[in-house]
Amino acid sequence: MKKRIISFALAAVMLVFLFAGCSAGKTATSAAASTAASASAAASAAASAAASATDSSEVQVGIVLPTKDEPRWLQDQAQFEQILGDAGFTNQVLFSQGSSATEKTNVETLISKGIKVLVICAQDGAAAAAAVEEAKTAGVTVIAYDRLITGTDAVDYYVTFDSFAVGVAQGQYLIDNAPSGSGIPLYLYAGAATDNNAFIFFSGAWSVLQPKIADGTFVIANSSEAEAVKDTNELTRDQVAKVIGQITTDWDFNVAKSKAEANLTAASADMKGDVLILAPNDGTARSIADVFAADKDVSSYVITGQDAEIASVQYVIDGKQSMTVFKDTRTLASDSVAMAVSILKGETPATDTTYNNGNKDVPAKQTAIIVVTKDNVQTALIDSGYYDASKFTGLN
């Protein structure tokens, strides 16, 4: 047992160094410092808890993620397995593959394996309520991961990036990089209507874009619902739902491609030329960018994204995608692990805000985000140790 404890302690120390990567730029330095601090907290707590860990074959921490089909979630899987494994906690990651029914089965499977903590990124924030209520009834502590689960008291904690800030960053980037003049076409796209985060992302972007729409600097090109509320800065959830219902990509590459093609086919000549595109994430951004790049009547476009997926980072380097919002999954996973460790030790996890899910104010821990452009790919993603430079071409 002594040897096992020492091994956990060494793993914890190595984890701190792994996450503390050096940075050449001010922004990346801040991100690395934040990552190191979160990782250090998780590692320290894990090393302490390791002394009381048992050799049981039961799974202590169960993780349910939305799909294997997006690189983002595979990155999260790797982070969870590495951090929890190095810390000596048994864990299992299951994927719901876009199905709330599969998600519920996954939760039930993990409950049967004796989990004490469930970390779940819901496929559908409302539909997931039934699954987490089963977990809560079984005595499991529930941590909503990245996406808030709504309409239930069964969510104990929430670990997330500042989703409103993501939307603000996307919208502000479009403002800061828009061509001069007025009447600039603005194409709006959003995530899935079943994802609470899609509402928050869009609301954040709208909060900064709306004044430019209201004064005629930007003209909405593809949403009559958004046009109908162009004079309203703070939209109700029902108003956002109507807009998203018209511009949703369902977080699906093919849906995004088809919607962009349909929008450009229907667009008049004055809605082409130099355009702005609010794309919700990297996968949809690449699909939409390819469609706009292929239209001979589109002179230039500025397009947003998020998640810093490898393929989109290469698009940013190549000038095919304008920016991506980097959400460091190392930090988010570390925050979740630190929270799980505290729960396993019978302690109250650290939180810094709350999110209302319709039934309760859920204690939450937020993680900062970073805007990545061609100018800071090196410092934000390479020097910080998130990616190896060999994954990209044209960095220098």
Side-chain angles (χ1 to χ4, degrees):
M1 182 65 177
K2 182 176 181 182
K3 183 183 292 185
R4 187 176 175 203
I5 294 171
I6 292 171
S7 125
F8 291 158
L10 287 173
V13 172
M14 290 175 67
L15 184 62
V16 174
F17 283 103
L18 173 65
F19 281 97
C22 63
S23 169
K26 181 178 179 182
T27 302
T29 300
S30 174
S34 174
T35 297
S38 297
S40 177
S44 176
S48 174
S52 59
T54 70
D55 290 322
S56 169
S57 60
E58 293 183 340
V59 175
Q60 293 167 294
V61 183
I63 301 103
V64 179
L65 299 176
T67 178
K68 287 182 177 180
D69 297 334
E70 294 180 30
R72 154 71 199 281
W73 303 115
L74 295 177
Q75 291 171 353
D76 285 44
Q77 176 190 20
Q79 298 298 339
F80 275 115
E81 291 177 341
Q82 179 180 333
I83 298 171
L84 284 166
D86 287 350
F89 292 100
T90 54
N91 64 92
Q92 184 173 3
V93 178
L94 298 177
F95 291 91
S96 303
Q97 290 306 104
S99 166
S100 293
T102 301
E103 180 176 80
K104 189 169 184 290
T105 299
N106 286 340
V107 172
E108 291 167 346
T109 297
L110 292 169
I111 293 171
S112 73
K113 294 188 176 184
I115 60 169
K116 302 298 185 292
V117 180
L118 172 66
V119 180
I120 175 171
C121 182
Q123 169 62 31
D124 179 323
V132 298
E133 284 165 4
E134 281 195 42
K136 194 67 178 172
T137 299
V140 175
T141 300
V142 176
I143 300 172
Y145 180 74
D146 199 32
R147 295 176 180 172
L148 186 60
I149 297 170
T150 59
T152 179
D153 293 326
V155 181
D156 296 290
Y157 300 100
Y158 181 34
V159 178
T160 184
F161 294 102
D162 187 340
S163 298
F164 192 85
V166 170
V168 169
Q170 291 176 328
Q172 191 61 50
Y173 186 89
L174 294 178
I175 292 170
D176 293 343
N177 293 274
S180 60
S182 61
I184 302 161
L186 171 63
Y187 288 80
L188 301 173
Y189 298 95
T194 56
D195 181 359
N196 187 65
N197 277 0
F199 284 72
I200 303 175
F201 295 145
F202 183 81
S203 295
W206 183 262
S207 72
V208 292
L209 290 172
Q210 183 272 331
K212 294 292 186 181
I213 297 168
D215 70 11
T217 303
F218 301 159
V219 177
I220 298 170
N222 66 328
S223 172
S224 58
E225 293 291 351
E227 179 68 21
V229 293
K230 69 178 183 179
D231 294 322
T232 305
N233 186 257
E234 294 186 22
L235 301 179
T236 66
R237 188 173 180 87
D238 285 344
Q239 288 173 321
V240 175
K242 287 181 179 179
V243 176
I244 289 180
Q246 200 169 47
I247 63 172
T248 180
T249 63
D250 290 325
W251 298 126
D252 185 284
F253 306 170
N254 293 320
V255 172
K257 179 177 183 291
S258 296
K259 189 151 289 186
E261 288 172 340
N263 290 158
L264 285 179
T265 297
S268 57
D270 61 342
M271 287 294 102
K272 296 189 178 183
D274 299 317
V275 304
L276 304 175
I277 309 166
L278 177 72
N281 75 340
D282 281 351
T284 59
R286 294 193 302 276
S287 293
I288 294 167
D290 288 346
V291 172
F292 276 75
D295 191 310
K296 62 182 178 58
D297 295 320
V298 173
S299 307
S300 70
Y301 61 86
V302 179
I303 187 168
T304 62
Q306 72 168 303
D307 293 332
E309 292 179 1
I310 290 173
S312 272
V313 174
Q314 188 63 61
Y315 261 48
V316 169
I317 294 168
D318 295 341
K320 297 178 181 179
Q321 183 174 324
S322 309
M323 61 87 84
T324 183
V325 178
F326 175 39
K327 304 186 302 185
D328 196 333
T329 57
R330 297 172 300 184
T331 307
L332 198 67
S334 294
D335 286 347
S336 299
V337 170
M339 194 171 274
V341 168
S342 294
I343 293 164
L344 291 169
K345 293 176 65 180
E347 300 173 350
T348 300
T351 57
D352 53 23
T353 188
T354 61
Y355 280 75
N356 189 280
N357 76 343
N359 275 44
K360 65 183 288 189
D361 289 326
V362 181
K365 179 72 169 63
Q366 285 192 151
T367 298
I369 53 96
I370 300 170
V371 171
V372 174
T373 67
K374 187 174 183 177
D375 292 337
N376 70 334
V377 166
Q378 180 72 40
T379 55
L381 299 176
I382 309 303
D383 294 344
S384 71
Y386 194 77
Y387 286 134
D388 189 273
S390 63
K391 294 184 178 295
F392 308 103
T393 59
L395 272 174
N396 297 322

